Amino acid sequence: MEQERQSENTEKSSSDPPNGPSVNDDSERDRPDGEALRLPSSMAGSGTLDRLVDTARDYARAAASDNTLKAYATDWTHFARWCRMKGAEPLPPSPELIGLYLADLASGSGPSPSQSASRPLSVSTIDRRLSGLAWNVAQRGFTLDRKNRHIATVLAGIKRKHARPPVQKEAILAEDILAMVATLPYDLRGLRDRAILLLGYAGGLRRSEIVSLDVHKDDTPDSGGWIEILEDGAVLTLNAKTGWREVEIGRGSSEQTCPVHALEQWLHFAKVDFGPVFTGVTRDGKRAQQTRLNDKHIARLIKACALKAGLRPDLPDAERVKLYSGHSLRAGLASSAEVDERYVQKQLGHASAEMTRRYQRRRDRFRVNLTKAAGL
């Protein structure tokens, strides 16, 4: 049996073209997310080794979040389609070709003469798409050198010509979050959404971190953390972008605005004692479901409550909606918490104080006056 497997592996390896692995869409080399992992052709397969290959593939898929993998898949689909329309092969990666692709994205020229021009992409989107291409190329067994002059100089020119200041989402400040939660009813759905807003604000949480919480450790395979409710507050253990971290959320000055009390109310009346903390609610609003809430619900909830609370009444509704997102909660905490900056940095899980300052919309910018310090 082992000899037969060896001969099969030899036949498969000999079918590859002489200049490198096949780039056919059906080949294992062309599959991302760990699918390309396989035994070397010189090794005989066995039940144990085959199971290890499957295990290794599972770990490879877990190297990035689902949202990141979806974005990378979209990046590769777009690039592969662009290559086909230009009569080029996406693999092996050609720095010259990728430089042309980046220029096409920045200029907004159409995919082909017969099609209308597409919208030029922002510099940040182009930079992120290049990262997605580099990841996809690596998953397929190749390397992409972003420092190659055909890529680096084109990208530098794009940034020099088209770069704009970053557009930041509006921060939801303390008075704003109070007005928003006041718009929510006290039914089951309202209790859940109130807990989401207050917990997300007080913890400076990302929307993915909110919905990934479980009641206990190891409740579900897709858990991103768990909660522990104590007398003085709650401790959230999160598997975030920067690794595992703990977020302490103290009790508020009143039950109406306390995030821990809101969380307790939701868990009690929804009868959630295992699995995901935040789940869907039946249409009649009388029973909590077992399905984990999607993180898109957080963004929709923030936008809807901001409108109902009348935030930024000087703008039309269409523009007001665009001002707010899940990051508005994190920016609100960073801008409202009047404590030492290092505590805010720890709560948000930032690796540097500079990143935290990007979230502070109304911090005292001239607390350190270098002009006077220089004698002027």
Side-chain angles (χ1 to χ4, degrees):
M1 179 64 69
E2 290 184 356
Q3 292 178 348
E4 293 176 358
R5 287 179 178 173
Q6 285 180 331
S7 61
E8 290 174 359
N9 288 332
T10 302
E11 291 174 1
K12 290 179 181 178
S13 61
S14 63
S15 62
D16 289 338
N19 294 330
S22 172
V23 296
N24 186 284
D25 290 339
D26 295 329
S27 69
E28 289 193 37
R29 178 70 73 167
D30 200 36
R31 299 175 192 168
D33 309 345
E35 290 296 332
L37 290 173
R38 57 179 177 178
L39 290 175
S41 58
S42 59
M43 291 184 61
S46 68
T48 302
L49 288 176
D50 291 342
R51 285 193 296 270
L52 283 176
V53 169
D54 293 336
T55 302
R57 286 174 178 169
D58 291 338
Y59 281 126
R61 295 187 194 100
S65 68
D66 290 341
N67 288 339
T68 300
L69 293 177
K70 289 178 182 178
Y72 286 167
T74 301
D75 293 339
W76 183 255
T77 299
H78 186 274
F79 176 66
R81 178 176 178 270
W82 182 87
C83 288
R84 287 196 301 270
M85 299 189 73
K86 302 299 182 184
E89 290 290 337
L91 292 176
S94 165
E96 295 86 350
L97 185 65
I98 291 178
L100 295 177
Y101 175 66
L102 298 181
D104 205 2
L105 296 179
S107 63
S109 58
S112 70
S114 62
Q115 294 181 331
S116 59
S118 59
R119 180 176 59 87
L121 299 184
S122 66
V123 173
S124 60
T125 301
I126 293 174
D127 204 14
R128 190 207 58 78
R129 186 162 288 186
L130 179 58
S131 298
L133 290 183
W135 184 90
N136 276 282
V137 166
Q139 294 301 305
R140 289 160 173 81
F142 297 94
T143 57
L144 174 60
D145 183 11
R146 295 184 54 160
K147 296 181 180 180
N148 183 285
R149 63 186 180 88
H150 295 288
I151 299 175
T153 54
V154 171
L155 186 60
I158 291 173
K159 290 181 177 180
R160 183 179 178 88
K161 187 173 182 179
H162 298 294
R164 298 289 184 272
V167 178
Q168 295 181 318
K169 294 297 182 180
E170 194 87 355
I172 294 176
L173 305 177
E175 58 269 23
D176 300 329
I177 197 70
L178 295 180
M180 290 169 63
V181 297
T183 66
L184 296 171
Y186 280 89
D187 58 7
L188 200 59
R189 187 175 286 105
L191 291 177
R192 179 199 64 191
D193 291 344
R194 184 175 285 100
I196 287 174
L197 290 178
L198 291 174
L199 199 71
Y201 179 81
L205 305 177
R206 301 176 179 88
R207 64 185 193 182
S208 59
E209 293 172 343
I210 297 174
V211 299
S212 68
L213 285 170
D214 276 3
V215 178
H216 308 103
K217 182 181 179 181
D218 299 329
D219 274 359
T220 63
D222 61 338
S223 171
W226 65 91
I227 62 174
E228 183 182 5
I229 299 178
L230 306 173
E231 182 178 352
D232 295 328
V235 177
L236 312 183
T237 304
L238 301 170
N239 187 8
K241 285 185 176 181
T242 54
W244 285 100
R245 65 187 179 98
E246 285 188 351
V247 174
E248 299 176 0
I249 300 179
R251 293 187 181 272
S253 56
S254 69
E255 289 188 348
Q256 287 72 25
T257 61
C258 175
V260 182
H261 178 73
L263 176 63
E264 290 174 324
Q265 291 288 96
W266 157 249
L267 295 176
H268 172 72
F269 287 102
K271 299 179 180 179
V272 176
D273 56 7
F274 183 85
V277 171
F278 295 111
T279 65
V281 176
T282 55
R283 290 190 175 183
D284 58 11
K286 296 182 179 180
R287 183 173 55 86
Q289 299 173 323
Q290 296 181 345
T291 307
R292 188 184 303 277
L293 207 62
N294 190 290
D295 67 336
K296 293 181 180 179
H297 172 79
I298 311 294
R300 291 193 295 264
L301 172 64
I302 291 172
K303 293 176 183 293
C305 289
L307 286 178
K308 291 180 181 179
L311 305 188
R312 293 299 304 269
D314 56 310
L315 298 175
D317 287 355
E319 293 185 25
R320 290 164 61 198
V321 169
K322 296 178 182 179
L323 289 177
Y324 300 98
S325 72
H327 265 57
S328 296
L329 296 179
R330 288 168 62 78
L333 175 72
S335 303
S336 300
E338 297 181 358
V339 295
D340 192 292
E341 191 176 76
R342 69 178 184 272
Y343 295 112
V344 179
Q345 179 183 341
K346 180 178 182 296
Q347 190 82 340
L348 297 182
H350 288 154
S352 66
E354 180 60 33
M355 178 59 71
T356 301
R357 295 188 188 105
R358 296 182 188 178
Y359 283 76
Q360 295 172 326
R361 304 291 192 263
R362 64 176 189 182
R363 65 185 176 88
D364 186 359
R365 296 180 182 273
F366 301 103
R367 181 171 50 189
V368 177
N369 191 325
L370 292 181
T371 303
K372 291 182 179 180
L376 300 180

